[in-house]
Structures are given as C-alpha cells and as structure tokens.
Amino acid sequence: MSEYVRRRAAPVLRGLVSGYSGYRWSGAPGLHHGLPSTHLTLVICLSGTLDFVGRPSSVSVAGGLHDDPVVMSHDGRQHGLQLDVTWRGARALLGLPAGELASDVVDLTDLLGDRASELAERLAAAPTWRHRFWLLDTTLSGLVDDSRGEPPVEVVQAWRRLTETSGNLRIDGLARELGWSRRHLNSRFQREIGLPPKVAARVIRFERARRLLRSPHRPSLAETAVTCGYVDQAHLARDFRALGGLTATQWRAEFPSVQDVDAALGDDGPHDAEQRH
C-alpha cells in the first residue's frame, strides 16, 4: 500500500520552500536512500521515528545539500511529510546559511526549539493531508525573517546560471562571467550553499534525470542521458551509483511515477487542490 501527496507552498513562501510531500508506505522492512537534490530536506515523521543509519533516531530532521545518499532503515512502515527548502530559504526560515548544514542531518529541534516538537504533534493529529499542508503554510510563514541577511549577489547569479543550464556549464566560464577567480567562486559558493559549484552542477543534472525517470512518460535511460547532458547512458549509470548508492533501475522500481503536480494545479494549487498517488 502506498499514498503519496504533493502540494506547492503558499505564495508567501515561494523562493523559500518549493513544496511539500506527504507519504504513507507499508511493505517489507528495508533501507530507504535519501538521494542528493538541489533542496535542503526537512522530514517530519507522523508515526514512529526516523531511524538513520549511523545517526540518532529523530521525529523531525533537517538535512543540508549533499552529494551522497543518506540511508534510513525502516520496519516496513513510513508515514510522514517532506519539505523541500531552497538554499535561500535556510536563512529566512532556519536562521543560518545552507552551507552550515552541508552533508549533515540535524534534529529540527536544534534549529527551531520547541516549535519543531509542537509542529510535529499538530501535524500528526491533523485529520487530512490538506489540513497538514495548511499547518505547514501557516507555521512556516510565521518563521520568515528577512532581516537575517542576503547572500552575495554573485552566488545568487551563479546558482541561477547553473540551474538554467541544468548543470551543463563550465565552472571556469561561470567564474569569468562573475568577474571572480574560480578559487574565489568555489569558496564563496560552498560557504553559502554547501557544495562547490562543480558538485552542485552534478547534483542539478542528477536531479533532472531523476525527475524525468519518475515522470508518467518514463523515458529510457538512454533518452534521459541525452536529454540531461550526460556523455552516454554509462555516464548516467555511474552518477546514480556514486550519488545515489544504487542503480537507476533499482531506484525507479522503488518509487512510483509522479505527475508534475505543480503544473497540474495551476495558480490555485497551494490552496485548492492536492494530488494522490
């Protein structure tokens, strides 16, 4: 049995939180691989605990950008919420640059104090996914603090160029565009975001490939490799093993295909609709 629900964040949170995912899975005990992405990942467990391999168990956690899988064991039941927070949202919502959480997973109470525990309790008690998403919108909107400083404009521009090229941009050329040396770009970018530009570009390309492989169209691995700028299918396969700790075929078998819910919902999506799978 599986249930998967996605929702965009409220307009006031745009640019800070990309969206929410609610899930309820039941099956055989095993391991879940949290793969690298372009977002910080906040996970709130609605029943039981989050049991990470090599880390203490938690009810709610925040994970920074990373370039290897975060592995979690489970007893066959998973029920919770995932929040996709942008690197710029880390400052406004959590009070620190995303770089301070790089390659790490911390208990959300370490960042938000009692508010994290209170939110987890309210979400677990909520009767529907719609209610839970409303609680997230309301709570996170109250956390926004624009006085925590802005990242360097050059880092913002560098991230924009990497994302608009889907990670297919030479870092030397990017540094020249910004008027920085490559060394200075690496330092400032990693300090703010948590990954050096070249690694971030690799994660951006990898995330695009995963999104395509999980789409209803479900293109072949060879088609995906060409679309995303990999040299060939073998290059894509190597990235899946290096970044995800499993093959693309294994990963696609673990997760169902997902419609592009954001596009389907339109402008009224955050408030008037939700999507189940």
Side-chain angles (χ1 to χ4, degrees):
M1 179 183 67
S2 66
E3 185 177 19
Y4 186 83
V5 189
R6 286 181 57 189
R7 190 86 170 269
R8 286 190 300 179
V12 70
L13 296 170
R14 299 287 166 79
L16 306 177
V17 181
S18 294
Y20 313 126
S21 302
Y23 57 87
R24 186 198 301 267
W25 294 339
S26 180
L31 298 177
H32 170 77
H33 289 71
L35 272 59
S37 81
T38 58
H39 294 84
L40 286 80
T41 302
L42 273 60
V43 181
I44 300 174
C45 192
L46 299 179
S47 61
T49 58
L50 298 165
D51 302 315
F52 293 92
V53 175
R55 304 172 188 267
S57 297
S58 302
V59 172
S60 59
V61 298
L65 271 65
H66 52 101
D67 63 349
D68 57 357
V70 176
V71 183
M72 182 180 72
S73 63
H74 61 85
D75 62 1
R77 295 184 297 272
Q78 299 183 67
H79 184 202
L81 285 154
Q82 176 175 312
L83 292 66
D84 294 329
V85 177
T86 69
W87 65 270
R88 299 191 70 171
R91 278 184 181 268
L93 296 171
L94 304 178
L96 76 175
E100 294 192 20
L101 293 175
S103 302
D104 198 7
V105 177
V106 302
D107 196 295
L108 196 56
T109 57
D110 293 342
L111 302 175
L112 300 180
D114 292 340
R115 288 175 296 186
S117 301
E118 293 168 2
L119 176 60
E121 291 173 3
R122 294 180 67 192
L123 290 169
T128 66
W129 290 115
R130 184 184 297 274
H131 192 181
R132 292 181 183 116
F133 294 144
W134 176 83
L135 282 172
L136 288 174
D137 279 341
T138 302
T139 302
L140 295 180
S141 297
L143 290 177
V144 175
D145 185 347
D146 295 326
S147 68
R148 290 167 170 162
E150 287 289 326
V153 294
E154 293 86 355
V155 172
V156 175
Q157 183 179 348
W159 181 264
R160 178 181 59 79
R161 291 287 289 127
L162 288 175
T163 54
E164 69 185 13
T165 58
S166 299
N168 294 295
L169 181 65
R170 292 185 63 85
I171 306 306
D172 286 339
L174 176 59
R176 285 194 298 270
E177 285 184 32
L178 301 174
W180 280 358
S181 68
R182 177 165 178 162
R183 180 177 180 180
H184 188 62
L185 171 60
N186 285 343
S187 175
R188 296 299 297 274
F189 192 97
Q190 184 164 3
R191 185 187 312 163
E192 185 66 38
I193 294 176
L195 299 174
K198 185 174 182 178
V199 177
R202 189 183 186 194
V203 170
I204 289 168
R205 187 170 57 241
F206 175 66
E207 185 175 62
R208 185 187 183 198
R210 290 193 291 115
R211 187 166 59 247
L212 287 175
L213 290 172
R214 203 177 177 189
S215 67
H217 172 57
R218 295 176 77 83
S220 69
L221 296 180
E223 290 174 317
T224 301
V226 170
T227 300
C228 295
Y230 289 94
V231 174
D232 50 27
Q233 182 176 333
H235 184 194
L236 172 62
R238 288 195 298 273
D239 257 20
F240 252 94
R241 290 190 179 91
L243 297 175
L246 71 176
T247 68
T249 301
Q250 289 172 327
W251 177 81
R252 188 151 63 171
E254 181 179 350
F255 291 96
S257 65
V258 177
Q259 180 184 352
D260 185 350
V261 179
D262 288 353
L265 294 182
D267 291 340
D268 294 331
H271 308 288
D272 298 330
E274 63 185 37
Q275 182 80 22
R276 277 189 168 82
H277 302 275

